[in-house]
Amino acid sequence: MKEELFYAFKKLKAYLLHDKTLLAEKIALAEFEENFSSNIEELERALKSSNIQKYLEAITYTLNVKKLGPKQLEKNIYLNNLVQDKYDVESYNVFIKAPIQIHLISMLWSMNIGEQLDREKENQFVKESYKLFQPYYGAYYSYRDDAISMALTLHKQKLNVSVVNLDIQEFYYHIAFDFAKDIPKDIEDKYNLNTFMQQIHQKFHQVVEKLHPNSAVKNYDTKKFLPIGLVSSAIIANYVLKELDKDIVENLQPEYYGRYVDDMLFVFSNKKFDAKVKDIVCSFFKCLFSECFFKTRFVCRNGRIWFKTDNRIFQLKQEKLKFFQFNKDDSIAILKKFKTQIDEDSSFFKFLPNKKDLFETLESAANKICYEGSEHTFISLDNLTKDKLAISRNLVDVVSIVSSAKFENNYFNNYNKQLLHVFYGRNIIELQIFWQRVFEYLYIIENKELFKDVVKFFLEAIKELKYTQQTEKLVADTKEYFLNSIKFALALDAEEKVKKLIDELELEISLEDVKKIKEANVFTQSNMSFPLINFCENTKNIDFLTHNIDFKDFEFCIDYNKIKRSARFIHYHEIAFFYFLERINAEIFGSFDEEILEKINKDFEQWNHLGKQQLPLKKDNIFEIDAQEKLEKNKLKIAIVSIKINIEDIESSSQGKPNLEFKRVLNIFNTLNDALKDKNNIPDIIVFPEVSISYAWIHLVARFAKKNNIGVVFGVEHIVIGKKVFNYSCVMLPFDIDNHTSLFVNFDLKRHYAPVEKKEIEAFNNQKIYQNINKTTTQLYRWRGAVFSTINCFELTDISLRMKLKGKIDFLIAIEYNRDTNYFSNIIESSTRDIHCYIVQVNTSDYGDSRIIQPTKTEKKDIVKLKGGENVYLVMHSIDIQKLRDFQKREYCGTEKNLPFKLLPPNFIMDESRKK
């Protein structure tokens, strides 16, 4: 049982990590983790002795505002006074508040019994994963998209189409469930979990007996309340509608049916109904459910619909009931437009934040105007609603940017004003799901006065909450959620700084809770500058937001208990970047060798419990990124970036003071996002010049490369550790593992520096520039069947490095910050013939000569060639690798005309791996 409890803990932790409402439970879990072994052993003893009374007695509840009442105005009157004397609560949600041990029992039940109840649903049980089920939101988006596609297909086939969307009224408050009677007898209960769950539900029903979650509902049977917050409740909620699902699929037989908990979506073709009757929806339902015998009984009366399934009665939510009828001969434009909007929304998170006016759009994005009639006329203006999706996107983008870049004060001044306008009065309560993000932003920008003001405004709004009953409890619980939101924001920083802020602002915050959150890794890890530092020992005085790569007196010592109890997937590139940081701080330089790559692979497999995988290998100086021996496709699309590298930025980074201004990172993000604009023409590899991207932004570029399955090659701005200066190139190459994208990353230290670069850097503060003196050949990469190498600027002048590539590669990537374009142009043009390969050369735009060149006639050699331009942009072109290989495998006498390439140089021996 102990092992199962351990896995239940990991799954519970993962469940809580992705939930934005259960902040108190995350803190309780972090506290549980402090004495993990003893707590698990105690729970095991309690379960084996069938005595969980200690945990049952601690069960209570917490209230969360669901909806505020209207402002009591006539429909034709609009006032923007969001501050009110009181905020009447129309409804609230009731969450179970219980010890983590109760949550673990619920999870253990879900793993053993709930899994068997819910097997047929979309959220399939994942046995070996830290997740309990595949994400619910994935299933929801999938069924919604499938329904739209089905409707469009049927209409295209000249069929009348009906789309019906139903939502059950207060579903979780109307589910009677008896673990003794409702669980099939053939399901084994080896740990007596059904009995424990029955006891948990009974205790919960006792403590919520007098609650009334919705002021508009007359009576509640609190014995039908499911404990919201327990993972088992979602399984039970799905299970009680199992007969309904079966009845609909087998008897009603719609063209499409999908359900996401209490949200149902139907697609029908050629259903007839009386469109002339007053209640068109009831007419439609009577038409449907009179056609054949159903176990499920639907009743339609006065525009309201109830249904009875498996002896449980539910009412459909009237305001969310949607009915669409599309005549086969008329337009279906609304669905097409809806699908287009969905596609645009779903692609949002593939992009990096890049809007120049990002700090000017929160208020406009947050407000959505609703019209009744023609748009842009006062008489049609109906209402102003909050666009929560737009608010979420803006906050995610802004927090991501401010944690990675530096700004002038005017950026923050404008944004802060908008923040106060959006989170003001009743909006504060209605947007509480975003409180943690707001305080993450406020803490990162280090504006203590604003932080203090926002705390004051939020507390004033919370204090004015009113309900017909339980007002004091509602205020107290909302305040607790508010304070917890702050705690999670503070967990990103060093303990000393956090304590100082709490004391200065006189916050009612427990420093111990903040320390527990940080130690248990239940804070927002995506805000960190450097991955996996939080999994090290002794991190209490580490600032996870730091941009300083020089970790003085810090030991990169992984705490394997933290890894063992981690509830998230640890990505391949995170491990690679972590070991790069460790090695460079330990003065171990150069590219990854076979030993460190083997360690990365081993950690990736073990930390994620993957078993043996086909992972990148290094042998004979070649990084084998994937298992592709033959070309995945004949042509690769290469995008080269035209961007100006400012000498002032080079000087700053080489002196240990990198320029992280927003406008610089904006240029990089804009360029990467431009690569995604034409979804039918996405590049395979994007190449930036030498010293073009700061190490502080590597994790963001990696996120882009992995998410979009695009390779990225760039020069890292100079890294300074103490008085040591390094110039690295970085290669990022995505690869697949079980249909999931991972990202290989390698950092290669420059072998040869131009004399002027060395002189200028070492002239500052007695610094010393480090070079990879052991580098006798360039690194080779086999990726998607193609073989290529990279070379860093002045290394290109080393003829011995270049000649070792002869016959071994399909293309060479040369990244540069180079003034002497004539010299390098001659090298590039001779090298493309001597090595007989394509060469991708990318230089700073003001010096130019960025190009893709091929070993062919002079007038055709430049496939692409760029120079100049004030704007940052990329240009893409394909290189035909198969065509080059086919040419190199044949023998030509030199008399043939119109050959696609120049003849092979003497002693050219094509590597056997490239002949496949």
Side-chain angles (χ1 to χ4, degrees):
M1 182 187 286
K2 185 181 292 185
E3 184 178 3
E4 284 199 67
L5 283 172
F6 171 74
Y7 284 115
F9 173 84
K10 289 193 66 168
K11 292 176 187 292
L12 175 62
K13 190 172 183 179
Y15 171 74
L16 293 177
L17 272 177
H18 291 91
D19 193 291
K20 296 177 182 178
T21 57
L22 302 175
L23 301 186
E25 283 69 22
K26 291 182 191 179
I27 296 172
L29 181 134
E31 186 174 346
F32 181 95
E33 197 167 332
E34 281 190 314
N35 299 295
F36 182 77
S37 296
S38 59
N39 283 330
I40 287 290
E41 289 169 2
E42 182 186 87
L43 177 58
E44 183 185 21
R45 288 194 297 271
L47 293 175
K48 286 183 176 179
S49 64
S50 296
N51 184 1
I52 61 168
Q53 191 61 33
K54 173 183 175 182
Y55 309 128
L56 291 172
E57 289 174 358
I59 290 177
T60 180
Y61 64 89
T62 185
L63 305 180
N64 179 270
V65 177
K66 183 178 182 181
K67 186 178 180 181
L68 292 181
K71 289 194 276 186
Q72 303 297 330
L73 295 173
E74 297 294 330
K75 188 177 180 182
N76 61 340
I77 298 175
Y78 172 80
L79 297 177
N80 69 342
N81 60 328
L82 294 171
V83 178
Q84 300 167 224
D85 294 334
K86 62 177 181 176
Y87 302 107
D88 290 317
V89 176
E90 184 176 297
S91 61
Y92 58 71
N93 275 322
V94 184
F95 287 82
I96 187 170
K97 189 172 185 179
I100 288 301
Q101 288 86 344
I102 294 293
H103 286 275
L104 286 173
I105 293 170
S106 167
M107 184 63 75
L108 199 61
W109 178 90
S110 301
M111 291 163 56
N112 284 274
I113 296 170
E115 178 268 328
Q116 298 181 66
L117 295 180
D118 212 24
R119 264 182 193 160
E120 295 177 16
K121 294 305 298 173
E122 293 289 339
N123 49 324
Q124 286 290 308
F125 179 70
V126 183
K127 188 173 183 180
E128 302 301 327
S129 172
Y130 53 87
K131 300 175 184 177
L132 177 65
F133 297 111
Q134 299 292 357
Y136 277 118
Y137 61 82
Y140 168 68
Y141 289 138
S142 175
Y143 101 74
R144 176 203 63 191
D145 295 347
D146 290 347
I148 294 171
S149 297
M150 175 60 74
L152 291 171
T153 299
L154 293 171
H155 191 265
K156 196 173 182 179
Q157 295 171 359
K158 289 294 181 180
L159 296 171
N160 295 325
V161 178
S162 305
V163 179
V164 182
N165 196 174
L166 309 178
D167 197 301
I168 301 173
Q169 181 93 17
E170 296 191 306
F171 185 43
Y172 273 70
Y173 300 113
H174 292 86
I175 299 176
F177 193 81
D178 189 315
F179 288 86
K181 298 177 181 178
D182 292 327
I183 303 292
K185 302 301 181 185
D186 59 344
I187 294 180
E188 182 185 3
D189 183 8
K190 60 182 177 180
Y191 298 132
N192 202 28
L193 294 169
N194 284 324
T195 300
F196 295 138
M197 289 301 298
Q198 188 77 9
Q199 292 172 357
I200 291 168
H201 277 229
Q202 287 173 349
K203 178 63 178 178
F204 177 69
H205 292 151
Q206 289 174 18
V207 299
V208 302
E209 186 177 4
K210 297 181 180 181
L211 295 187
H212 203 91
N214 191 325
S215 59
V217 178
K218 291 183 178 180
N219 297 305
Y220 281 99
D221 181 355
T222 54
K223 291 181 180 179
K224 294 181 179 180
F225 283 20
L226 272 187
I228 300 174
L230 293 185
V231 70
S232 52
S233 294
I235 297 171
I236 293 168
N238 261 329
Y239 179 67
V240 297
L241 295 183
K242 196 171 183 179
E243 286 301 320
L244 171 69
D245 295 336
K246 183 179 179 183
D247 206 11
I248 288 170
V249 171
E250 292 181 359
N251 296 320
L252 187 58
Q253 297 180 352
E255 303 293 344
Y256 182 83
Y257 168 68
R259 180 171 62 81
Y260 169 68
V261 190
D262 56 348
D263 192 314
M264 293 175 279
L265 195 56
F266 303 78
V267 178
F268 300 98
S269 66
N270 287 342
K271 290 292 181 183
K272 297 179 181 179
F273 65 100
D274 188 358
K276 297 178 182 179
V277 300
K278 183 177 180 181
D279 196 330
I280 193 171
V281 175
C282 280
S283 169
F284 186 78
F285 265 81
K286 287 175 182 177
C287 165
L288 285 179
F289 293 96
S290 63
E291 290 184 3
C292 56
F293 175 78
F294 292 96
K295 294 180 181 177
T296 304
R297 295 298 183 189
F298 278 82
V299 177
C300 185
R301 189 181 303 125
N302 298 326
R304 297 187 177 276
I305 301 172
W306 291 262
F307 69 91
K308 182 178 182 181
T309 180
D310 206 14
N311 293 318
R312 296 180 181 89
I313 299 175
F314 301 101
Q315 182 180 338
L316 297 180
K317 193 178 294 184
Q318 184 68 15
E319 61 271 25
K320 288 196 175 182
L321 193 153
K322 299 293 181 184
F323 173 79
F324 301 88
Q325 178 73 17
F326 301 103
N327 188 284
K328 63 182 180 179
D329 298 319
D330 295 331
S331 171
I332 200 167
I334 186 173
L335 271 189
K336 291 179 179 177
K337 190 170 183 178
F338 185 42
K339 187 177 189 304
T340 300
Q341 185 62 54
I342 288 170
D343 291 341
E344 290 175 0
D345 290 344
S346 64
S347 66
F348 169 80
F349 292 103
K350 291 185 177 182
F351 291 85
L352 291 165
N354 74 335
K355 292 182 180 178
K356 191 174 182 180
D357 61 348
L358 186 64
F359 292 88
E360 301 171 4
T361 56
L362 174 61
E363 194 169 8
S364 60
N367 294 299
K368 183 190 292 184
I369 297 176
C370 300
Y371 291 96
E372 194 175 78
S374 301
E375 292 189 12
H376 310 132
T377 60
F378 268 108
I379 198 168
S380 297
L381 204 156
D382 184 46
N383 197 4
L384 195 66
T385 61
K386 289 287 170 255
D387 189 338
K388 291 187 177 181
L389 178 60
I391 295 171
S392 175
R393 288 175 171 180
N394 184 275
L395 286 172
V396 167
D397 276 355
V398 167
V399 171
S400 177
I401 283 287
V402 298
S403 61
S404 304
K406 295 181 179 178
F407 303 86
E408 298 172 3
N409 287 334
N410 62 327
Y411 275 112
F412 294 135
N413 291 340
N414 186 24
Y415 190 77
N416 294 342
K417 289 177 183 177
Q418 294 184 66
L419 191 75
L420 292 176
H421 287 162
V422 172
F423 289 87
Y424 184 61
R426 65 185 283 125
N427 284 353
I428 292 172
I429 305 301
E430 292 177 337
L431 301 176
Q432 62 180 291
I433 196 73
F434 303 117
W435 287 354
Q436 182 180 331
R437 282 287 184 192
V438 169
F439 286 108
E440 285 172 355
Y441 163 75
L442 293 174
Y443 187 72
I444 292 170
I445 67 171
E446 299 181 336
N447 188 328
K448 293 179 182 177
E449 287 303 314
L450 181 62
F451 198 111
K452 191 171 184 177
D453 287 343
V454 171
V455 169
K456 177 186 173 184
F457 297 149
F458 279 36
L459 286 175
E460 287 174 351
I462 293 168
K463 186 175 64 176
E464 300 305 325
L465 289 172
K466 296 290 185 293
Y467 193 65
T468 53
Q469 58 164 324
Q470 297 287 330
T471 290
E472 190 175 330
K473 172 70 172 169
L474 194 61
V475 170
D477 289 348
T478 307
K479 182 178 178 181
E480 181 186 9
Y481 180 82
F482 161 75
L483 294 174
N484 287 339
S485 299
I486 300 177
K487 293 174 188 176
F488 280 86
L490 300 184
L492 290 161
D493 211 342
E495 183 180 317
E496 292 178 3
K497 285 179 65 178
V498 172
K499 184 179 185 305
K500 186 177 179 181
L501 182 76
I502 291 174
D503 293 341
E504 282 183 22
L505 301 186
E506 299 179 346
L507 299 172
E508 300 177 59
I509 296 291
S510 164
L511 179 62
E512 288 302 310
D513 282 350
V514 179
K515 289 160 63 176
K516 291 168 188 173
I517 291 167
K518 185 174 186 179
E519 187 67 14
N521 286 323
V522 289
F523 58 91
T524 309
Q525 297 178 41
S526 60
N527 292 335
M528 294 175 56
S529 298
F530 302 116
L532 306 190
I533 300 296
N534 54 311
F535 286 96
C536 289
E537 299 174 355
N538 304 317
T539 59
K540 71 175 187 176
N541 288 319
I542 293 294
D543 175 6
F544 292 149
L545 296 169
T546 184
H547 297 136
N548 186 3
I549 201 170
D550 189 353
F551 286 84
K552 296 176 182 177
D553 304 320
F554 177 73
E555 293 186 24
F556 286 79
C557 186
I558 289 290
D559 184 335
Y560 287 97
N561 280 324
K562 289 183 180 180
I563 293 289
K564 188 178 180 181
R565 295 197 285 266
S566 171
R568 75 169 182 88
F569 193 86
I570 299 176
H571 297 286
Y572 192 93
H573 67 273
E574 293 179 303
I575 302 172
F577 195 15
F578 175 83
Y579 283 125
F580 170 69
L581 291 174
E582 179 191 41
R583 284 158 62 86
I584 199 170
N585 276 274
E587 300 187 9
I588 304 173
F589 316 121
S591 181
F592 289 153
D593 55 22
E594 291 87 343
E595 182 179 349
I596 190 65
L597 192 62
E598 186 177 333
K599 182 173 177 56
I600 293 170
N601 291 346
K602 183 179 178 182
D603 289 345
F604 179 69
E605 290 170 342
Q606 291 184 350
W607 293 357
N608 294 304
H609 310 286
L610 294 176
K612 194 65 179 174
Q613 300 290 322
Q614 182 72 47
L615 297 174
L617 300 171
K618 188 176 184 181
K619 52 186 179 182
D620 300 327
N621 196 48
I622 301 179
F623 284 108
E624 304 274 1
I625 309 304
D626 47 38
Q628 292 281 352
E629 293 185 359
K630 296 182 179 180
L631 284 174
E632 186 176 297
K633 49 188 176 182
N634 294 342
K635 298 179 180 180
L636 280 183
K637 297 175 182 177
I638 310 293
I640 61 176
V641 177
S642 178
I643 184 171
K644 181 181 178 181
I645 310 300
N646 294 313
I647 186 63
E648 296 83 4
D649 295 335
I650 295 176
E651 291 172 353
S652 296
S653 65
S654 64
Q655 295 171 13
K657 302 173 183 177
N659 176 9
L660 303 178
E661 288 183 359
F662 178 45
K663 62 182 180 182
R664 289 195 64 215
V665 73
L666 182 69
N667 283 336
I668 293 166
F669 288 179
N670 280 344
T671 305
L672 291 171
N673 290 335
D674 282 347
L676 304 177
K677 285 185 176 179
D678 183 354
K679 63 182 180 181
N680 296 316
N681 200 26
I682 303 292
D684 294 290
I685 299 179
I686 303 172
V687 186
F688 286 81
E690 181 188 18
V691 293
S692 56
I693 296 179
S694 170
Y695 59 79
W697 302 328
I698 290 175
H699 67 294
L700 297 173
V701 177
R703 193 181 304 169
F704 170 89
K706 176 184 176 297
K707 192 169 289 185
N708 295 289
N709 202 23
I710 296 174
V712 185
V713 177
F714 58 91
V716 183
E717 277 191 340
H718 294 96
I719 294 173
V720 180
I721 305 290
K723 292 186 179 295
K724 306 176 185 69
V725 183
F726 309 91
N727 182 325
Y728 277 91
S729 59
C730 181
V731 175
M732 297 180 172
L733 299 171
F735 63 96
D736 289 337
I737 296 178
D738 294 333
N739 297 320
H740 294 282
T741 302
S742 290
L743 188 71
F744 167 86
V745 179
N746 184 47
F747 298 91
D748 194 14
L749 182 61
K750 196 173 183 179
R751 172 66 177 91
H752 299 297
Y753 290 81
V756 66
E757 179 184 9
K758 190 172 188 296
K759 179 181 178 182
E760 289 176 354
I761 289 175
E762 294 189 342
F764 177 78
N765 199 23
N766 297 317
Q767 291 183 149
K768 180 173 177 57
I769 198 161
Y770 270 66
Q771 60 192 85
N772 190 358
I773 57 175
N774 298 319
K775 186 175 182 178
T776 58
T777 183
T778 63
Q779 292 295 327
L780 272 64
Y781 303 88
R782 180 175 285 110
W783 177 65
R784 296 179 179 173
V787 183
F788 72 95
S789 184
T790 61
I791 204 159
N792 194 343
C793 201
F794 201 67
E795 292 177 337
L796 197 62
T797 63
D798 187 338
I799 191 171
S800 63
L801 284 180
R802 301 199 312 267
M803 286 304 97
K804 289 178 181 178
L805 299 173
K806 187 174 171 181
K808 293 184 177 180
I809 61 174
D810 299 301
F811 62 99
L812 173 66
I813 295 176
I815 58 172
E816 303 168 5
Y817 178 81
N818 170 52
R819 297 180 181 91
D820 195 351
T821 55
N822 288 332
Y823 177 32
F824 275 66
S825 179
N826 291 331
I827 294 175
I828 288 291
E829 290 176 7
S830 64
S831 295
T832 189
R833 296 187 181 185
D834 294 341
I835 307 173
H836 210 270
C837 70
Y838 297 99
I839 297 181
V840 181
Q841 177 184 235
V842 185
N843 194 11
T844 176
S845 62
D846 50 336
Y847 297 143
D849 204 34
S850 293
R851 52 176 157 168
I852 302 175
I853 190 171
Q854 59 185 340
T856 188
K857 294 179 180 180
T858 302
E859 61 270 21
K860 292 183 177 181
K861 68 181 186 302
D862 290 321
I863 302 174
V864 172
K865 190 169 185 178
L866 308 174
K867 181 179 179 180
E870 293 183 358
N871 61 316
V872 181
Y873 60 94
L874 57 79
V875 174
M876 183 175 66
H877 207 285
S878 297
I879 55 174
D880 195 330
I881 294 174
Q882 190 62 57
K883 185 177 180 180
L884 179 68
R885 288 185 176 185
D886 290 342
F887 181 87
Q888 292 173 354
K889 284 186 284 189
R890 293 179 59 187
E891 292 185 5
Y892 294 91
C893 65
T895 59
E896 295 92 335
K897 295 181 179 180
N898 300 319
L899 292 177
F901 299 102
K902 282 289 185 179
L903 294 179
L904 302 178
N907 300 317
F908 182 91
I909 301 174
M910 187 178 182
D911 191 272
E912 288 297 321
S913 65
R914 296 182 57 240
K915 294 180 179 179
K916 297 178 180 179

